[in-house]
Amino acid sequence: EIVNHVPSILIGVNSSNAVTLWNNEAVKVTSLRREDTIAQNLFSAFPQFLVFKEDIESVFNNSSFIPLKKVCMTFFDIQYYFDVLIFSIENDEGRIVMIRLDHVTDRVRVEKAMLRDEKMIWLAGMTVGVISELNKTFTEVLTSEESLRHSLEQRGENSTERGFENVTQHDVSRS
């Protein structure tokens, strides 16, 4: 069967939620053999699929389809991300709801890493901006100090701490 050669997980369920299709990729990811899942209630055999129960019922009743992006599921303590498409088909046994899960874990991890890198770049830019502003302030303080020392030297006063304090106090009392 062609469904066993697609890289997506394909699961089919009938109106009573009994599994009618469990492809090779479903076996590979879940470690559940096809023989152990066919004719079993999907939600009993694999409770992780309970998150799709309402969507499956909606698709079964309305012959519609529901796409879901980046759904996180955990199998055996390993977290996976899937793009999910739930749709219905008609076959000899009646309407079947199909669940297709496309493995996008690597893409999600790369997107998260890129977002983290973008945040770090933004933070580095902000840090450079803050340092630049601090540098301007320190430069102004040093320039003011040099100007005061020069002013003191022109008056002939000693540019010691005492002289500097006198000028500062004198200038403050004038204000």
Side-chain angles (χ1 to χ4, degrees):
E1 294 179 6
I2 195 165
V3 296
N4 286 317
H5 300 288
V6 295
S8 303
I9 294 173
L10 287 175
I11 300 168
V13 295
N14 63 18
S15 60
S16 61
N17 296 319
V19 175
T20 60
L21 173 69
W22 192 265
N23 76 343
N24 287 345
E25 191 67 15
V27 171
K28 179 179 156 187
V29 173
T30 65
S31 297
L32 291 176
R33 298 179 317 164
R34 188 174 292 107
E35 307 80 58
D36 297 334
T37 59
I38 297 296
Q40 299 296 316
N41 181 286
L42 174 66
F43 309 117
S44 298
F46 217 73
Q48 286 89 335
F49 285 92
L50 278 167
V51 297
F52 304 123
K53 187 171 185 170
E54 289 180 20
D55 296 323
I56 291 169
E57 290 171 0
S58 175
V59 167
F60 192 82
N61 293 328
N62 300 319
S63 297
S64 60
F65 67 94
I66 298 175
L68 304 166
K69 297 287 184 185
K70 298 178 188 171
V71 175
C72 182
M73 297 180 78
T74 303
F75 301 115
F76 306 106
D77 297 326
I78 299 173
Q79 197 173 51
Y80 295 94
Y81 289 89
F82 296 97
D83 284 345
V84 180
L85 180 63
I86 302 171
F87 60 98
S88 65
I89 61 171
E90 296 284 333
N91 68 11
D92 296 338
E93 300 168 13
R95 181 175 294 152
I96 303 293
V97 171
M98 298 294 297
I99 306 161
R100 186 182 102 196
L101 295 100
D102 294 312
H103 196 281
V104 295
T105 303
D106 292 338
R107 185 180 79 205
V108 170
R109 287 183 182 149
V110 167
E111 288 172 357
K112 285 182 176 183
M114 288 174 58
L115 184 59
R116 186 176 49 247
D117 291 348
E118 287 176 10
K119 288 178 182 178
M120 292 302 290
I121 290 169
W122 178 84
L123 185 60
M126 291 296 294
T127 303
V128 167
V130 168
I131 290 171
S132 177
E133 289 300 316
L134 286 172
N135 189 36
K136 285 182 196 175
T137 303
F138 290 141
T139 301
E140 290 173 9
V141 167
L142 290 174
T143 303
S144 296
E145 180 193 13
E146 287 176 15
S147 177
L148 282 172
R149 285 185 192 275
H150 182 71
S151 180
L152 283 173
E153 288 172 1
Q154 283 184 343
R155 290 184 182 173
E157 295 183 25
N158 186 355
S159 61
T160 63
E161 289 295 321
R162 187 170 172 255
F164 185 73
E165 288 173 9
N166 288 342
V167 171
T168 305
Q169 289 172 359
H170 178 69
D171 289 344
V172 170
S173 61
R174 271 199 204 159
S175 313

